[in-house]
Structures are given as structure tokens and as C-alpha cells.
Amino acid sequence: MEFFAILIAWAAVQFWGSGGVVQQDAWFERLQLVANKIPASAVRLLLVFGLPVIGVFVLVWMLSPLLFGLPAFLLSVIILLYSLGRGDFQILLKLYLNSWLRGDLEGAFQHGRGFSTELCESGIDNALQLHTSVRKAVFYQGFERWFAVVFWFVLLGPAGALAYRLLFMLAGSERQPQQDRDHAANALFYLEWLPVRLLGLAFAIIANFDTGISAWRQHLRSEQPSAEVLDNIGMKALPTFVPEGQIDGEQFVKSAADELLAVQHLLSRSLLCWICAVAVLQLL
């Protein structure tokens, strides 16, 4: 059933570009406002994170015996769609590359912030740093939008997928106290540890195995952030497009654009690789 839910969610994303109308976060924002009135951090997190996750788990369990499990299946698809990343990844990358290829670093920087609001402040003036920051953000967003969510969906069902998305939103929410955001970020790091390594393994299998698997082994026990690990393994698995430190006018601009497109294709092929693996596991 998980495999069919993933296929339906994938088809919906191809049509909408994202989770579409399902991804309404107003309820979560209201819940945060209510929780912020509570002084204890543990209680706040229990309300904004634990309550929705437990609620989904109980609801799916209650619906499972009804009508051959169809209501539970439909709810699982809805929760999976909700848990996917926000925004249209393909359009955002296209907008960034259009500005980049025109030499509009200011426009590229603004579009790049759609991948990550933490781009280097010198990115507008330093094309190489801007490209490197965006590339790292593309690797990570490709991971958090789909792979991490699908991983926890397969492992723990819709409650697992929702748990990942809520932690991700809490870690970056300006509505939450810093203490809560730190707790969410720490929990998110551990939730991402295994799926990051599995995606890194797919990078090595899909692309250059020798250099990719060597980088993958080096990061097995790494405590680096997920974005760093994915970027390091991914760039070892891909051929060199932009030699580090070299900026050569139009050639650099073209090479950097080709590199980002190669990253996009690597992410797509790697996700397909693991979806096939899920299909095989469903048949066993």
C-alpha cells in the first residue's frame, strides 16, 4: 500500500509542482500561537509536534479495518502529500538558472534564497560562493522535499512522514522560541542521519561508484550537517564541472549551470532508485 501511495503522491506533484492544495499550514501556525503561551518547552513541543503525530497515528489505526482499508489509504496519501516539501522545485531552479545565465547575480541570489534563506551574505558579489551555496541548498532541498519524507513514510507510515515535516518546520519557524527550535533541529539531525547516508549511497551507485563510495564511507560517522554530507558525497559522485577556485567568465557561468542540472538529475535518478527498491520490498 505504501508503494501505491508514493506513486499517487508523485503523480500529484508532477501535476501541481508540489503538494498543492493539501499543503495548508494555517492550522499549524495557530497551534504554535496557542503553544507559545505555555512556559515549559517540553509541553509546547508536545502540543505542536506530539499531538498532531499521535493524532494521525490513532486515526489511521482506527480507519484501517473500515472498507478494506480504503479510508486509511486515502488519509495516508493526503498526509504524505502534506508532508512533502513546499514550493515548486523545478520552477524555482529554472528561475535561478535564467538569472544566473544572464549574469544577473542579484536576481540569482534572490531566487537562490528560495532554496535556502541562509545563503552567504557575500553571494551577490562572489559568483563562486553563490553557486556553491545554492548547489548545497539544492542537494538538501531535493533530500528534504522527497527522500526523507518517503523514507519515514515507508518505515513508520503517515505519522512518520508528518513527524519529519513538522520537525523541519519547527526548526526553521520564527514563531517558536529559540529553545524549541534548537530542540527540533537536534531531533531533525538524528531523523536525517540514516536517510542522508542511504541517499548518499544511491549517489555512488547511480554515478561514479569509486569516488562516490569512498566519500560515502568517510561520512558514515560524520557529525556534519546533512547538507554538507550530501554535497560532499554528491560532488564526489559527479564529474567535475567547476574546478574549485576557478572563475572564467562565460565558461564558468555555463559550467556552473551544467553542474546544477547534473545535481538535479542525480537527485531524480537516486529517488527513482529507492522507489524501485521499495517496490521490490513490497513484493517480498
Side-chain angles (χ1 to χ4, degrees), residues 92 96 104-116 119 124 130:
L92 187 57
Y96 171 82
D104 179 11
L105 289 186
E106 172 65 35
F109 179 80
Q110 295 304 324
H111 290 307
R113 287 176 65 84
F115 294 109
S116 172
L119 293 183
I124 299 177
L130 174 60

mmCIF file of all heavy atoms in Angstrom, residues 92 96 104-116 119 124 130:
data_model
loop_
_atom_site.group_PDB
_atom_site.id
_atom_site.type_symbol
_atom_site.label_atom_id
_atom_site.label_comp_id
_atom_site.label_asym_id
_atom_site.label_seq_id
_atom_site.Cartn_x
_atom_site.Cartn_y
_atom_site.Cartn_z
ATOM 1 N N LEU A 92 11.538 26.927 -9.440
ATOM 2 C CA LEU A 92 12.499 27.736 -8.700
ATOM 3 C C LEU A 92 13.898 27.577 -9.287
ATOM 4 O O LEU A 92 14.626 28.571 -9.454
ATOM 5 C CB LEU A 92 12.494 27.333 -7.225
ATOM 6 C CG LEU A 92 13.327 28.195 -6.280
ATOM 7 C CD1 LEU A 92 12.877 29.656 -6.351
ATOM 8 C CD2 LEU A 92 13.211 27.673 -4.855
ATOM 9 N N TYR A 96 16.151 30.502 -11.114
ATOM 10 C CA TYR A 96 17.527 30.785 -10.682
ATOM 11 C C TYR A 96 18.489 30.699 -11.869
ATOM 12 O O TYR A 96 19.322 31.595 -12.072
ATOM 13 C CB TYR A 96 17.946 29.802 -9.596
ATOM 14 C CG TYR A 96 19.419 29.903 -9.260
ATOM 15 C CD1 TYR A 96 19.885 30.881 -8.385
ATOM 16 C CD2 TYR A 96 20.353 29.058 -9.857
ATOM 17 C CE1 TYR A 96 21.239 31.012 -8.108
ATOM 18 C CE2 TYR A 96 21.706 29.170 -9.583
ATOM 19 C CZ TYR A 96 22.146 30.149 -8.705
ATOM 20 O OH TYR A 96 23.486 30.276 -8.438
ATOM 21 N N ASP A 104 22.855 37.968 -14.030
ATOM 22 C CA ASP A 104 22.138 38.769 -13.027
ATOM 23 C C ASP A 104 22.323 38.123 -11.652
ATOM 24 O O ASP A 104 21.484 37.350 -11.199
ATOM 25 C CB ASP A 104 20.660 38.843 -13.404
ATOM 26 C CG ASP A 104 19.834 39.634 -12.396
ATOM 27 O OD1 ASP A 104 20.432 40.299 -11.522
ATOM 28 O OD2 ASP A 104 18.589 39.566 -12.462
ATOM 29 N N LEU A 105 23.423 38.441 -10.972
ATOM 30 C CA LEU A 105 23.718 37.823 -9.688
ATOM 31 C C LEU A 105 22.712 38.246 -8.618
ATOM 32 O O LEU A 105 22.392 37.450 -7.730
ATOM 33 C CB LEU A 105 25.138 38.171 -9.234
ATOM 34 C CG LEU A 105 26.282 37.516 -10.000
ATOM 35 C CD1 LEU A 105 27.610 37.849 -9.332
ATOM 36 C CD2 LEU A 105 26.106 36.015 -10.103
ATOM 37 N N GLU A 106 22.221 39.474 -8.700
ATOM 38 C CA GLU A 106 21.225 39.928 -7.725
ATOM 39 C C GLU A 106 19.952 39.084 -7.852
ATOM 40 O O GLU A 106 19.401 38.607 -6.856
ATOM 41 C CB GLU A 106 20.911 41.406 -7.957
ATOM 42 C CG GLU A 106 19.755 41.937 -7.122
ATOM 43 C CD GLU A 106 20.034 41.939 -5.639
ATOM 44 O OE1 GLU A 106 21.193 42.185 -5.254
ATOM 45 O OE2 GLU A 106 19.082 41.690 -4.863
ATOM 46 N N GLY A 107 19.473 38.900 -9.092
ATOM 47 C CA GLY A 107 18.281 38.074 -9.311
ATOM 48 C C GLY A 107 18.525 36.624 -8.937
ATOM 49 O O GLY A 107 17.656 35.984 -8.330
ATOM 50 N N ALA A 108 19.705 36.117 -9.286
ATOM 51 C CA ALA A 108 20.037 34.739 -8.945
ATOM 52 C C ALA A 108 20.073 34.552 -7.432
ATOM 53 O O ALA A 108 19.607 33.535 -6.901
ATOM 54 C CB ALA A 108 21.383 34.345 -9.555
ATOM 55 N N PHE A 109 20.618 35.545 -6.738
ATOM 56 C CA PHE A 109 20.687 35.474 -5.282
ATOM 57 C C PHE A 109 19.286 35.420 -4.674
ATOM 58 O O PHE A 109 19.013 34.618 -3.771
ATOM 59 C CB PHE A 109 21.447 36.692 -4.743
ATOM 60 C CG PHE A 109 21.552 36.732 -3.242
ATOM 61 C CD1 PHE A 109 22.501 35.980 -2.578
ATOM 62 C CD2 PHE A 109 20.691 37.521 -2.488
ATOM 63 C CE1 PHE A 109 22.604 36.019 -1.198
ATOM 64 C CE2 PHE A 109 20.781 37.572 -1.117
ATOM 65 C CZ PHE A 109 21.742 36.810 -0.467
ATOM 66 N N GLN A 110 18.381 36.249 -5.170
ATOM 67 C CA GLN A 110 17.019 36.280 -4.634
ATOM 68 C C GLN A 110 16.288 34.969 -4.909
ATOM 69 O O GLN A 110 15.589 34.442 -4.029
ATOM 70 C CB GLN A 110 16.241 37.459 -5.231
ATOM 71 C CG GLN A 110 16.788 38.820 -4.841
ATOM 72 C CD GLN A 110 16.861 39.029 -3.328
ATOM 73 O OE1 GLN A 110 15.991 38.555 -2.580
ATOM 74 N NE2 GLN A 110 17.886 39.734 -2.871
ATOM 75 N N HIS A 111 16.446 34.427 -6.095
ATOM 76 C CA HIS A 111 15.828 33.135 -6.393
ATOM 77 C C HIS A 111 16.504 32.018 -5.597
ATOM 78 O O HIS A 111 15.856 31.063 -5.170
ATOM 79 C CB HIS A 111 15.915 32.834 -7.886
ATOM 80 C CG HIS A 111 15.044 33.701 -8.737
ATOM 81 N ND1 HIS A 111 13.695 33.855 -8.511
ATOM 82 C CD2 HIS A 111 15.340 34.483 -9.818
ATOM 83 C CE1 HIS A 111 13.183 34.685 -9.413
ATOM 84 N NE2 HIS A 111 14.156 35.083 -10.210
ATOM 85 N N GLY A 112 17.817 32.145 -5.405
ATOM 86 C CA GLY A 112 18.547 31.143 -4.628
ATOM 87 C C GLY A 112 18.077 31.079 -3.191
ATOM 88 O O GLY A 112 18.109 30.005 -2.563
ATOM 89 N N ARG A 113 17.604 32.201 -2.667
ATOM 90 C CA ARG A 113 17.095 32.211 -1.298
ATOM 91 C C ARG A 113 15.806 31.404 -1.169
ATOM 92 O O ARG A 113 15.390 31.076 -0.061
ATOM 93 C CB ARG A 113 16.873 33.653 -0.831
ATOM 94 C CG ARG A 113 18.181 34.381 -0.550
ATOM 95 C CD ARG A 113 17.931 35.836 -0.171
ATOM 96 N NE ARG A 113 17.201 35.950 1.081
ATOM 97 C CZ ARG A 113 17.762 35.908 2.291
ATOM 98 N NH1 ARG A 113 19.072 35.739 2.386
ATOM 99 N NH2 ARG A 113 17.037 36.025 3.388
ATOM 100 N N GLY A 114 15.198 31.073 -2.297
ATOM 101 C CA GLY A 114 14.062 30.171 -2.268
ATOM 102 C C GLY A 114 14.475 28.754 -1.905
ATOM 103 O O GLY A 114 13.675 27.985 -1.358
ATOM 104 N N PHE A 115 15.721 28.400 -2.196
ATOM 105 C CA PHE A 115 16.257 27.107 -1.782
ATOM 106 C C PHE A 115 16.753 27.157 -0.344
ATOM 107 O O PHE A 115 16.628 26.192 0.403
ATOM 108 C CB PHE A 115 17.420 26.682 -2.691
ATOM 109 C CG PHE A 115 17.015 26.396 -4.098
ATOM 110 C CD1 PHE A 115 17.368 27.253 -5.130
ATOM 111 C CD2 PHE A 115 16.263 25.276 -4.402
ATOM 112 C CE1 PHE A 115 17.000 26.993 -6.435
ATOM 113 C CE2 PHE A 115 15.879 25.007 -5.706
ATOM 114 C CZ PHE A 115 16.248 25.864 -6.724
ATOM 115 N N SER A 116 17.333 28.285 0.018
ATOM 116 C CA SER A 116 17.848 28.440 1.376
ATOM 117 C C SER A 116 17.954 29.922 1.700
ATOM 118 O O SER A 116 18.562 30.687 0.945
ATOM 119 C CB SER A 116 19.230 27.784 1.504
ATOM 120 O OG SER A 116 19.814 28.088 2.752
ATOM 121 N N LEU A 119 21.871 31.722 2.461
ATOM 122 C CA LEU A 119 22.948 31.870 1.502
ATOM 123 C C LEU A 119 23.975 32.859 2.035
ATOM 124 O O LEU A 119 23.646 33.779 2.770
ATOM 125 C CB LEU A 119 22.405 32.371 0.159
ATOM 126 C CG LEU A 119 21.487 31.413 -0.625
ATOM 127 C CD1 LEU A 119 21.113 32.052 -1.949
ATOM 128 C CD2 LEU A 119 22.147 30.075 -0.848
ATOM 129 N N ILE A 124 26.168 37.848 -3.547
ATOM 130 C CA ILE A 124 25.888 38.746 -4.666
ATOM 131 C C ILE A 124 27.181 39.191 -5.334
ATOM 132 O O ILE A 124 27.239 39.389 -6.531
ATOM 133 C CB ILE A 124 25.094 39.974 -4.173
ATOM 134 C CG1 ILE A 124 23.757 39.506 -3.585
ATOM 135 C CG2 ILE A 124 24.842 40.952 -5.300
ATOM 136 C CD1 ILE A 124 22.931 40.620 -2.995
ATOM 137 N N LEU A 130 28.261 32.045 -4.315
ATOM 138 C CA LEU A 130 26.819 31.957 -4.535
ATOM 139 C C LEU A 130 26.467 30.608 -5.147
ATOM 140 O O LEU A 130 25.536 29.928 -4.687
ATOM 141 C CB LEU A 130 26.357 33.087 -5.446
ATOM 142 C CG LEU A 130 24.889 33.038 -5.891
ATOM 143 C CD1 LEU A 130 23.958 33.090 -4.691
ATOM 144 C CD2 LEU A 130 24.584 34.178 -6.870
#
